[in-house]
Amino acid sequence: MKKKRKIKKSIKFIFTFIMLISITITSYFLISKDDNKFNFNKIVNENKVAYPIIKKISLVATGDALLHNPVYLSAYDKETDTFNFAPQLELVKEQIKDYDIKYYNQETVFGGKLTDRFNCKYNMPGYCSYPYFNTPSEFGDAMVDAGFNMVSLASNHSADCTYASDTCLTNSYNFWKNKNVVFDGFNEDETMENKYNISEKNGIKYGFLNYTNTLNGLDNSVSNIKYKIDIYDEETAKKEIEDLKTKVDVIIVAMHWHKASAEYETVPTASNKEIANYLASLGVNIILGTYSHCLQPFDIIGNTVVFYSLGNFISNQGDLLDMIGYKGIVGVLASMDITKTTYEDGTSEIKVDNIGADLTYTYNKNHKDYKVIPFSKMNESYNKDYKSIYEEYKNVLTSLNQNINVKPVN
């Protein structure tokens, strides 16, 4: 009996002790140390959202991947029948790794390894270079591995390999559909438009559109499947941009100019400025221009950032040195921040600022060892005149607007 009473007393003591601890903890959280009253206001204020809410993402963009046959032949291993483009991109991979959105223009089509070739000189089996391009898709794998996650596909070369195969565009579309990237320019069918060109990062939704103004006169080869390539016209652009504005915070348009344009011109035409102003009036935040195969100026139209041409990212146009100088092998990694500010009344605004640039140079040695080199990493082993080349194209980039931070040359 005594033993039972001792157990009951022990249980009672433990229960009482636990109750005291619970009361003490509860009192600590609910009673204000200052006036011994419930401090509900403190609890509410500690959980209240502080306005304005500011969120930010970053973007880096570069120009045309123009895969002439020496570029992909230099990456080819005949013994293993494989391509390794990674060494061509290693310096850029390091340079862009910290950006959220990483854009480039895939100028030439990944049509698949085709057997029916047409007017194609100096090709390796299945692939083709100028004037009708068909590019190994392994280059796309290498670009994704390097970090690129936004790609434009519509260009003046989009219809090049359709002469060889009706599945050419489908092959390219399917390649990108299976990658974790935002892309536009090609479509699977008329109902699939805009399926893969919306994404979100850090609470900021962004949408992407891509148009080309020309197919180099090959329109007839895609006359029955024109919906597969995004051709620019004002009515289509207006409709798609207005639709996209209801779904996203930021609109980015990759514009492959051509209307009244000329290749290797470092000054944007009046027609292209007109298109840029029209897109800006529709509320586009960022315009990324390509086509000229050389660098053109940066500008700001209202709240819209415009790069009229990002130049070539990689190509073999160093062979045109006597004709066009370094225009075909100097490009840019253009960078910017996108900031979304949300206010207490629920409204928000987007600002694109902190505009920057790192000029790039495509190096090769006797049509081998191709490598894209940021000028911030250049030295005389690549080109003894690299500093004067840098100054020339820095002046091109800033000729319309100098509110851009161009990285100094190494």
Side-chain angles (χ1 to χ4, degrees):
M1 291 295 292
K2 287 182 179 181
K3 189 175 182 180
K4 288 184 178 179
R5 281 198 293 268
K6 284 182 180 180
I7 292 172
K8 286 182 179 179
K9 284 182 180 181
S10 297
I11 294 172
K12 186 176 181 181
F13 174 79
I14 293 169
F15 179 76
T16 304
F17 179 76
I18 292 171
M19 287 297 293
L20 286 171
I21 293 295
S22 300
I23 291 168
T24 302
I25 292 171
T26 303
S27 298
Y28 178 81
F29 284 105
L30 295 180
I31 306 296
S32 168
K33 292 180 180 179
D34 296 324
D35 55 12
N36 284 342
K37 292 181 180 178
F38 291 120
N39 195 352
F40 291 115
N41 289 333
K42 180 179 178 182
I43 296 170
V44 171
N45 288 334
E46 285 180 350
N47 291 283
K48 188 176 181 181
V49 176
Y51 286 94
I53 301 170
I54 299 175
K55 297 184 177 181
K56 185 177 293 187
I57 56 176
S58 58
L59 179 149
V60 64
T62 194
D64 300 341
L66 183 61
L67 273 288
H68 297 98
N69 55 293
V71 179
Y72 57 77
L73 285 172
S74 69
Y76 181 65
D77 185 326
K78 189 174 182 179
E79 289 186 8
T80 61
D81 191 27
T82 59
F83 294 90
N84 180 17
F85 292 97
Q88 300 179 0
L89 311 174
E90 58 189 1
L91 294 180
V92 171
K93 181 176 182 177
E94 175 64 22
Q95 204 79 350
I96 69 171
K97 62 184 176 64
D98 294 328
Y99 290 91
D100 297 308
I101 304 172
K102 305 161 194 179
Y103 161 84
Y104 88 100
N105 174 52
Q106 183 55 52
E107 180 84 0
T108 53
V109 177
F110 300 156
K113 195 170 184 178
L114 305 175
T115 55
D116 182 17
R117 302 314 308 148
F118 49 98
N119 299 328
C120 186
K121 299 177 181 179
Y122 314 116
N123 66 292
M124 64 182 296
Y127 302 107
C128 197
S129 185
Y130 179 83
Y132 301 115
F133 289 88
N134 182 41
T135 296
S137 61
E138 286 86 347
F139 180 79
D141 290 320
M143 290 295 278
V144 172
D145 179 70
F148 287 94
N149 56 14
M150 177 179 280
V151 188
S152 56
L153 305 178
S155 78
N156 55 307
H157 289 289
S158 289
D160 281 6
C161 65
T162 54
Y163 274 143
S165 171
D166 289 339
T167 63
C168 180
L169 294 174
T170 302
N171 291 342
S172 190
Y173 180 90
N174 287 338
F175 172 86
W176 290 109
K177 182 177 70 172
N178 292 311
K179 301 296 178 184
N180 186 27
V181 300
V182 174
F183 72 93
D184 197 36
F186 288 177
N187 307 298
E188 188 172 32
D189 58 51
E190 291 179 279
T191 66
M192 297 292 285
E193 175 64 24
N194 299 340
K195 181 173 176 57
Y196 297 106
N197 64 345
I198 295 177
S199 192
E200 182 174 353
K201 179 75 176 181
N202 195 27
I204 300 177
K205 282 188 176 182
Y206 54 94
F208 179 59
L209 293 169
N210 169 217
Y211 305 102
T212 181
N213 252 324
T214 178
L215 296 176
N216 284 352
L218 299 179
D219 301 69
N220 287 338
S221 70
V222 293
S223 58
N224 61 327
I225 51 169
K226 265 204 167 180
Y227 62 85
K228 289 198 172 187
I229 303 173
D230 287 318
I231 309 294
Y232 177 79
D233 68 72
E234 288 189 353
E235 184 178 345
T236 299
K238 185 175 188 293
K239 179 182 177 181
E240 293 185 347
I241 290 166
E242 288 181 347
D243 177 55
L244 202 53
K245 280 168 70 174
T246 66
K247 302 172 183 176
V248 300
D249 303 303
V250 180
I251 297 179
I252 303 164
V253 172
M255 190 66 224
H256 204 79
W257 319 107
H258 178 71
K259 191 176 182 181
S261 298
E263 291 182 331
Y264 315 120
E265 290 293 333
T266 58
V267 178
T269 64
S271 295
N272 292 343
K273 286 184 176 181
E274 182 181 338
I275 293 172
N277 275 276
Y278 179 68
L279 295 176
S281 74
L282 296 176
V284 173
N285 303 96
I286 300 166
I287 300 172
L288 303 172
T290 54
Y291 171 74
S292 65
H293 298 310
C294 66
L295 206 59
Q296 288 186 352
F298 140 84
D299 203 1
I300 298 175
I301 303 172
N303 295 318
T304 305
V305 171
V306 183
F307 282 85
Y308 279 102
S309 177
L310 297 161
N312 283 339
F313 172 66
I314 191 168
S315 72
N316 187 50
Q317 292 198 320
D319 276 7
L320 303 179
L321 196 63
D322 291 340
M323 297 170 54
I324 62 173
Y326 292 101
K327 289 180 180 179
I329 55 177
V330 174
V332 68
L333 293 168
S335 59
M336 61 207 78
D337 288 337
I338 302 167
T339 304
K340 177 183 177 181
T341 303
T342 303
Y343 300 98
E344 194 166 4
D345 63 1
T347 61
S348 63
E349 64 178 359
I350 294 293
K351 186 176 182 181
V352 182
D353 61 4
N354 192 26
I355 315 297
D358 194 354
L359 299 183
T360 62
Y361 180 91
T362 299
Y363 168 83
N364 81 82
K365 186 176 182 179
N366 299 321
H367 294 151
K368 294 181 179 179
D369 302 324
Y370 285 82
K371 191 181 293 290
V372 182
I373 308 160
F375 269 82
S376 58
K377 297 182 180 293
M378 280 283 281
N379 59 56
E380 289 187 354
S381 68
Y382 298 120
N383 191 313
K384 62 183 178 61
D385 298 320
Y386 76 95
K387 290 185 179 180
S388 62
I389 297 169
Y390 167 87
E391 290 297 332
E392 178 182 354
Y393 288 95
K394 177 185 176 182
N395 290 336
V396 169
L397 186 64
T398 59
S399 60
L400 292 180
N401 194 316
Q402 296 190 352
N403 293 312
I404 182 171
N405 179 28
V406 184
K407 279 191 177 181
V409 68
N410 181 35

